């Protein structure tokens, strides 16, 4: 029986490959000028870092437009192991109740909604708990780990849920398509803590002490460290300095309909940043870009958000 996928070595072309292949050109000119990932980017973060939440609109756009120039590595920073002896003197934080006011300031300044009353009602015991879950998922699928981190932040900052509780963590892992009970159980094993400690070691090697921090290193081992939530221009300029011979070209942005299918929920501030629109045209922009029957527009803490139905 003749099989279309039989491998042959053709005496005329000098090529070994599938029989019946249509590509018979033995010499052709091709363009390899597409950018190569010559920069390693380390994003140091923590599930309960409010300024990391504030950075989300800018970081999403930066990765989408310029992600083909770098390899991105997300590292957990270990913001809060427990409250025994913890103090953030610069922000006046020495107990869970002190966090709420600081978070509200960050939310108001960034317009990424932050409730913060979880610190009065059901304070998070440790950020290491969701961080270990993140690391277990990351070992299996880095993309799903970042989706989990996003869902966890939505629940914590906007919807005021304690993301250190097993039942919520199980639900969040289930939502990304993995077995929540299995992953959360694995996160309590010594191996998960070893993974987390490896992140902490790398973070120390990078000289990072605050979050969010983005460190970019090029092939000449020259780098830049950017501490805090900055503008898109600052990250783009830093990347350009590390790639002086390349003229950075941003990738085309995803249409809003497609973006929402991927993200499931986006806040007004995120859409404004992504598409460079002003707040006062937000609703008109939605009406033009989205089918009305597929999405819901809601409000929380004075900010609108769009969610897939």
């Amino acid at each position: 029986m003749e099989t279309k996928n039989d491998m042959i070595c053709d005496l005329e072309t000098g090529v070994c490959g599938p029989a019946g292949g249509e590509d018979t050109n033995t010499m052709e000119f091709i363009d390899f000028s597409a950018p190569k990932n010559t920069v390693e980017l380390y994003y140091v973060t923590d599930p309960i870092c409010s300024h990391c939440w504030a950075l989300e609109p800018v970081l999403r756009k930066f990765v989408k437009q310029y992600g083909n120039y770098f390899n991105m590595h997300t590292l957990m920073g270990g913001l809060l192991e427990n409250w025994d002896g913890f103090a953030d003197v610069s922000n006046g934080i020495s107990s869970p109740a002190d966090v709420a006011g600081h978070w509200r300031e960050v939310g108001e300044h960034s317009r990424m909604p932050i409730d913060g009353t979880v610190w009065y009602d059901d304070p998070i015991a440790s950020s290491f708990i969701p961080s270990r879950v993140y690391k277990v998922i990351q070992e299996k699928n880095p993309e799903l780990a970042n989706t989990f981190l996003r869902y966890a932040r939505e629940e914590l900052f906007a919807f005021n849920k304690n993301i250190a509780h097993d039942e919520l963590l199980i639900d969040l892992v289930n939502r990304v398509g993995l077995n929540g009970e299995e992953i959360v159980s694995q996160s309590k094993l010594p191996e998960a803590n070893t993974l987390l400690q490896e992140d902490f070691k790398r973070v120390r090697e990078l000289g990072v002490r605050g979050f969010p921090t983005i460190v970019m290193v090029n092939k000449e081992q020259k780098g830049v460290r950017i501490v805090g939530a900055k503008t898109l221009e600052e990250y783009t300029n830093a990347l350009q300095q590390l790639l002086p011979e390349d003229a950075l070209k941003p990738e085309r942005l995803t249409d809003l309909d497609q973006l929402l299918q991927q993200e499931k929920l986006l806040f007004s501030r995120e859409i404004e940043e992504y598409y460079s629109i002003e707040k006062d045209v937000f609703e008109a922009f939605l009406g033009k870009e989205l089918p009305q029957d597929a999405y819901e527009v809601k409000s929380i803490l004075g900010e609108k958000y769009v969610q897939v139905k």
Side-chain angles (χ1 to χ4, degrees):
M1 179 182 295
E2 182 178 340
T3 304
K4 291 184 179 180
N5 291 326
D6 285 346
M7 299 294 291
I8 65 164
C9 291
D10 192 303
L11 293 176
E12 292 185 21
T13 64
V15 175
C16 288
E22 296 180 359
D23 186 5
T24 58
N25 292 329
T26 57
M27 181 180 293
E28 58 179 324
F29 291 97
I30 56 177
D31 183 4
F32 280 115
S33 63
K36 299 178 179 62
N37 293 348
T38 56
V39 170
E40 303 299 319
L41 184 149
Y42 301 91
Y43 172 45
V44 184
T45 185
D46 188 275
I48 71 169
C49 168
S50 58
H51 287 290
C52 299
W53 176 240
L55 178 61
E56 294 247 328
V58 168
L59 185 60
R60 177 183 292 104
K61 187 172 184 177
F62 178 64
V63 172
K64 173 60 182 177
Q65 289 194 305
Y66 300 100
N68 55 343
Y69 291 97
F70 55 79
N71 301 308
M72 186 169 178
H73 313 274
T74 300
L75 302 173
M76 294 290 103
L79 184 58
L80 176 67
E81 182 171 9
N82 56 60
W83 283 99
D84 294 338
F86 176 86
D88 181 353
V89 178
S90 62
N91 288 308
I93 297 171
S94 59
S95 69
D98 297 330
V99 181
H102 171 66
W103 271 22
R104 282 195 296 271
E105 290 177 359
V106 175
E108 290 168 3
H109 178 74
S110 67
R111 291 189 46 234
M112 285 294 284
I114 301 179
D115 185 304
T117 55
V118 67
W119 291 109
Y120 299 120
D121 304 331
D122 186 16
I124 295 106
S126 171
S127 69
F128 286 31
I129 298 170
S131 295
R132 283 191 288 264
V133 175
Y134 177 89
K135 291 304 300 180
V136 172
I137 300 173
Q138 190 182 43
E139 281 290 288
K140 303 175 185 298
N141 187 314
E143 187 174 338
L144 289 183
N146 290 328
T147 301
F148 161 80
L149 183 60
R150 167 64 188 205
Y151 289 168
R153 285 180 169 152
E154 289 174 1
E155 294 296 333
L156 172 62
F157 292 110
F159 303 113
N160 213 40
K161 302 287 182 60
N162 187 330
I163 59 169
H165 287 331
D166 282 2
E167 56 269 27
L168 179 56
L169 288 169
I170 290 169
D171 178 62
L172 293 173
V173 177
N174 287 337
R175 282 171 57 187
V176 304
L178 298 174
N179 186 316
E181 291 191 3
E182 180 180 304
I183 297 293
V184 172
S185 293
Q186 290 176 11
S187 75
K188 298 178 181 181
L189 299 175
E191 291 81 0
N193 194 57
T194 297
L195 292 172
L196 189 58
Q197 293 299 324
E198 288 173 355
D199 270 17
F200 296 166
K201 180 176 182 291
R202 188 69 180 116
V203 168
R204 289 192 297 271
E205 291 170 348
L206 292 168
V208 174
R209 302 183 67 178
F211 322 124
T213 293
I214 286 180
V215 179
M216 294 184 248
V217 183
N218 65 14
K219 62 184 179 181
E220 286 82 25
Q221 294 303 296
K222 297 185 184 299
V224 60
R225 183 168 55 232
I226 306 170
V227 183
K230 305 301 183 183
T231 65
L232 178 67
E233 289 72 24
E234 287 176 272
Y235 295 116
T236 305
N237 290 340
L239 181 62
Q240 182 66 81
Q241 289 177 34
L242 294 176
L243 297 170
E245 297 180 0
D246 294 339
L248 299 186
K249 297 178 182 179
E251 289 285 304
R252 179 184 178 276
L253 293 173
T254 310
D255 292 339
L256 181 56
D257 187 22
Q258 183 181 351
L259 181 65
L260 269 167
Q261 287 297 329
Q262 296 169 354
E263 300 284 352
K264 308 305 179 188
L265 184 155
L266 287 169
F267 293 94
S268 175
R269 174 72 187 87
E270 297 181 287
I271 294 172
E272 293 163 28
E273 176 70 35
Y274 198 82
Y275 297 103
S276 302
I277 63 171
E278 297 297 324
K279 181 181 179 180
D280 58 2
V281 302
F282 171 71
E283 293 195 47
F285 183 76
L286 295 187
K288 183 180 70 171
E289 297 291 327
L290 296 177
Q292 292 183 356
D293 58 346
Y295 303 94
E296 294 179 292
V297 180
K298 301 179 181 180
S299 295
I300 190 167
L301 302 170
E303 293 291 340
K304 289 186 169 58
Y305 66 96
V306 189
Q307 189 170 20
V308 176
K309 285 186 178 178

